[in-house]
């Protein structure tokens, strides 16, 4: 009777309590085939972890092969946003608002986070794929890939129960917790990025809006209001899941759009009526306001949004900082399926953000011209 009344979260908590203290050793001797498998996973992950384009493509390819792993599609769509944020730094507006050094700092911040998440998440996917091939769970190998014991526990639970929501939420918790000390609380990024741009991030830049496009200029998504809060980022992940997976019609529309439009990093990918990856305006010549309700005014040129390959060079990353973030059993509470269906309407809010950005960029340009006189 006690076992029948046990909830999924109770089961996961019990397993995690066995591991949280004392620390479980992962020094067991590996077989030759296990070592080869781990090496192959590392090499494949490195091959796909070159830049935002290769990561984003790999997530979608995996999801199309394994549609039960919802995070792969959620990660793909969020990673697209990461790429758009990177190219925004070289686009029409932010080049007027940020210095070259600030653009570089912001790019390295975004790239580091994007790289870290992929090198943690993708090996988990490859190990799951190999488990399917061998028809047995291989998740005991996750610690050898420096993946949290939290995920080892949840993957083993998923192998038995196949609850895609719990697995997806666990991956949301894991990746955001993984980033917390390595990026968000990192002294360098605190000083060079977050402390400098906190006001900008919150109030008028588009970095806090996650957009999910679909055909016909359709746009859904969510806004993050407290970027530096781990709690808020996890809750954002739950809301994004609801937008992308709880509305079946929109899920199919977004997936169809993603398959039809390979990720280039340019916002032209989803709104070619408004953005172009080629500069249409003439350098040095001032232009009037171009935007009104996400439409170009008569005769206005499209907003420059470059492809990632032309905006930024590939950069090599130092190895991820070691350590398991999992210390507090209470994070299991986030796995509760307590989210309701939500529409995710964001188009109007995003249009206003673009208009604010344009006004700010023009004002900054005017100030620069006055200073030159």
């Amino acid at each position: 009777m006690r076992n029948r009344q046990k909830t999924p979260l109770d089961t996961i908590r019990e397993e995690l309590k066995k591991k949280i203290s004392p620390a479980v050793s992962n020094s067991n001797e590996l077989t030759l085939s296990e070592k080869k498998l781990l090496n192959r996973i590392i090499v494949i992950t490195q091959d796909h972890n070159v830049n935002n384009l290769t990561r984003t493509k790999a997530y979608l390819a995996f999801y199309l092969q394994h549609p039960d792993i919802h995070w792969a599609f959620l990660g793909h769509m969020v990673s697209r946003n990461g790429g758009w944020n990177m190219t925004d730094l070289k686009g029409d507006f932010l080049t007027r608002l940020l210095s070259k050094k600030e653009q570089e700092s912001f790019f390295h911040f975004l790239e580091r986070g994007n790289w870290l998440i992929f090198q943690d998440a993708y090996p988990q996917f490859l190990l799951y794929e190999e488990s399917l091939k061998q028809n047995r769970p291989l998740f005991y190998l996750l610690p050898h890939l420096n993946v949290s014991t939290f995920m080892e526990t949840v993957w083993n639970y998923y192998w038995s129960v196949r609850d895609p929501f719990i697995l997806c939420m666990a991956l949301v918790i894991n990746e955001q917790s993984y980033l917390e000390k390595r990026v968000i609380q990192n002294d360098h990024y605190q000083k060079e990025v977050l402390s400098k741009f906190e006001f900008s991030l919150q109030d008028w830049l588009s970095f806090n809006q996650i957009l999910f496009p679909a055909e016909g200029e359709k746009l859904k998504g969510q806004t993050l209001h407290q970027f530096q809060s781990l709690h808020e980022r996890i809750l954002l992940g739950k809301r994004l899941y609801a937008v992308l997976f709880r509305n079946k019609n929109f899920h199919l529309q977004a997936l169809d759009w993603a398959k039809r439009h390979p990720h280039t990093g340019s916002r032209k990918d989803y709104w070619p009526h408004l953005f172009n990856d080629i500069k249409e305006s003439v350098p040095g010549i001032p232009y009037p306001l171009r935007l009104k309700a996400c439409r170009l005014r008569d005769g206005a040129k499209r907003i420059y949004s470059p492809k990632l390959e032309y905006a930024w060079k590939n950069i090599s990353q130092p190895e991820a900082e070691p350590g398991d973030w999992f210390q507090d059993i209470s994070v299991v509470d986030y796995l509760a399926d307590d989210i309701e269906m939500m529409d995710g309407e964001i188009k109007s809010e995003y249009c206003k953000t673009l208009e604010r950005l344009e006004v700010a960029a023009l004002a900054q340009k005017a100030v620069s011209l006055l200073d030159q006189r």
Side-chain angles (χ1 to χ4, degrees), residues 232-287:
E232 290 300 327
R233 295 198 310 276
I234 292 172
L235 294 185
L236 173 70
K238 298 187 85 166
R239 297 197 303 274
L240 290 172
Y241 180 91
V243 172
L244 198 57
F245 283 94
R246 290 287 158 90
N247 185 326
K248 299 301 182 185
N249 287 336
F250 180 73
H251 171 79
L252 294 174
Q253 291 167 0
L255 182 59
D256 183 57
W257 178 87
K259 290 189 290 186
R260 289 171 181 264
H261 297 83
H263 177 55
T264 72
S266 172
R267 292 188 183 272
K268 181 184 178 182
D269 290 352
Y270 62 92
W271 274 3
H273 71 282
L274 207 59
F275 298 97
N276 196 4
D277 53 13
I278 298 171
K279 279 190 178 181
E280 296 183 352
S281 56
V282 180
I285 298 178
Y287 57 83

Side-chain angles (χ1 to χ4, degrees), residues 9-45:
L9 270 58
D10 290 336
T11 302
I12 293 170
R13 281 193 194 94
E14 286 181 11
E15 288 303 310
L16 285 170
K17 283 177 182 176
K18 297 174 185 176
K19 299 179 179 181
I20 197 167
S21 182
V24 176
S25 170
N26 64 353
S27 60
N28 295 335
E29 191 66 31
L30 296 175
T31 65
L32 182 60
S33 63
E34 288 171 336
K35 289 178 181 178
K36 286 182 177 180
L37 171 60
L38 292 172
N39 287 335
R40 183 163 58 86
I41 286 173
I42 291 169
V43 169
I44 293 172
T45 300

Side-chain angles (χ1 to χ4, degrees), residues 196-228:
K196 288 184 178 181
F197 303 127
E198 183 174 13
F199 174 79
S200 301
L201 279 166
Q202 302 298 338
D203 289 346
W204 50 264
L205 294 188
S206 58
F207 289 85
N208 60 344
Q209 291 172 328
I210 306 296
L211 310 176
F212 296 153
E215 297 291 353
E217 298 180 21
K218 189 174 290 186
L219 205 63
K220 292 186 182 294
Q222 288 288 296
T223 299
L224 175 62
H225 294 292
Q226 292 177 286
F227 185 79
Q228 295 196 55

Side-chain angles (χ1 to χ4, degrees), residues 319-367:
E319 286 190 18
E321 298 85 343
D324 189 342
W325 61 266
F326 176 67
Q327 296 176 336
D328 186 353
I329 204 81
S330 67
V331 296
V332 174
D333 295 341
Y334 286 117
L335 297 176
D337 190 351
D338 52 7
I339 53 174
E340 299 176 358
M341 176 85 75
M342 55 182 61
D343 181 72
E345 175 55 46
I346 199 172
K347 186 174 181 179
S348 176
E349 182 183 344
Y350 175 58
C351 292
K352 290 176 182 175
T353 296
L354 286 178
E355 290 174 14
R356 287 198 300 270
L357 266 174
E358 182 180 37
V359 169
L362 283 177
Q364 184 64 33
K365 182 67 174 177
V367 170

